[in-house]
Amino acid sequence: MSWNQILDSALLTLDLPNGDKFLVIESLLDLAMTSGSIRDRDHALKDLVEREQYLSTGFENGLAVPHAKSEAVSEIILAFGLNREGVDFDSLDGKPTHFVFLLLSPMDTSGPHIQTLALLARNFQLPETILKIKSVSSEDELMQIFRDFK
């Protein structure tokens, strides 16, 4: 499965709520629920929260990728939210998080899960990516930026 196959403009928001990281995770999970591919919201949430409590998924450069493998999904799901003010995600650099991807994968899927995490981490090392995403005004603009990820 390629990066462009898991991108879905219906699973993007430019208005991620303020609050703690668990509120953000729930908000993105609710957005991901609209895909119809999550069989059990409570089970997915439990898997995401357990993973987050084990080790924060807040990276550097304003990026967080709460993720989990879960029996609640049969295909990889990716949702994205932008929070312009920033959320405390216990990130590695101690700075606020602005860009949050929620990634859920089936239990038996390793390759696409790890490849997606690596792709996101790699692209968010580029200052131009961060500046472009911070200045988007529409989901279409955002999708174009994401389609260009390599």
Side-chain angles (χ1 to χ4, degrees):
M1 176 174 282
S2 76
W3 167 246
N4 284 319
Q5 289 175 304
I6 62 172
L7 288 175
D8 183 345
S9 61
L11 301 184
L12 307 176
T13 180
L14 302 180
D15 299 308
L16 201 57
N18 293 323
D20 70 15
K21 64 183 177 177
F22 296 107
L23 175 69
V24 168
I25 290 170
E26 278 201 72
S27 177
L28 282 173
L29 179 58
D30 289 340
L31 180 61
M33 289 292 296
T34 65
S35 73
S37 298
I38 301 174
R39 294 186 291 262
D40 184 337
R41 180 192 184 279
D42 292 338
H43 191 100
L45 180 60
K46 177 183 157 294
D47 292 337
L48 288 161
V49 168
E50 282 180 2
R51 170 62 184 86
E52 192 64 34
Q53 288 175 331
Y54 169 71
L55 182 64
S56 176
T57 56
F59 297 143
E60 298 173 316
N61 302 319
L63 174 66
V65 189
H67 61 277
K69 291 188 178 185
S70 178
E71 292 176 358
V73 297
S74 57
E75 63 185 41
I76 196 165
I77 303 291
L78 184 70
F80 172 80
L82 174 65
N83 182 297
R84 295 182 197 276
E85 290 182 32
V87 176
D88 182 3
F89 231 93
D90 300 315
S91 59
L92 293 174
D93 61 7
K95 295 180 180 173
T97 294
H98 300 279
F99 320 105
V100 185
F101 288 89
L102 181 133
L103 176 65
L104 282 167
S105 299
M107 296 298 289
D108 61 352
T109 303
S110 289
H113 186 90
I114 293 168
Q115 290 166 348
T116 300
L117 291 171
L119 178 80
L120 294 171
R122 184 170 56 248
N123 280 277
F124 277 86
Q125 293 298 314
L126 306 171
E128 61 270 20
T129 297
I130 295 164
L131 291 173
K132 284 181 192 175
I133 295 173
K134 276 188 175 178
S135 67
V136 298
S137 59
S138 73
E139 284 82 2
D140 289 339
E141 277 182 73
L142 195 55
M143 281 296 288
Q144 188 54 54
I145 293 167
F146 290 160
R147 281 190 197 104
D148 292 339
F149 278 14
K150 292 178 176 79

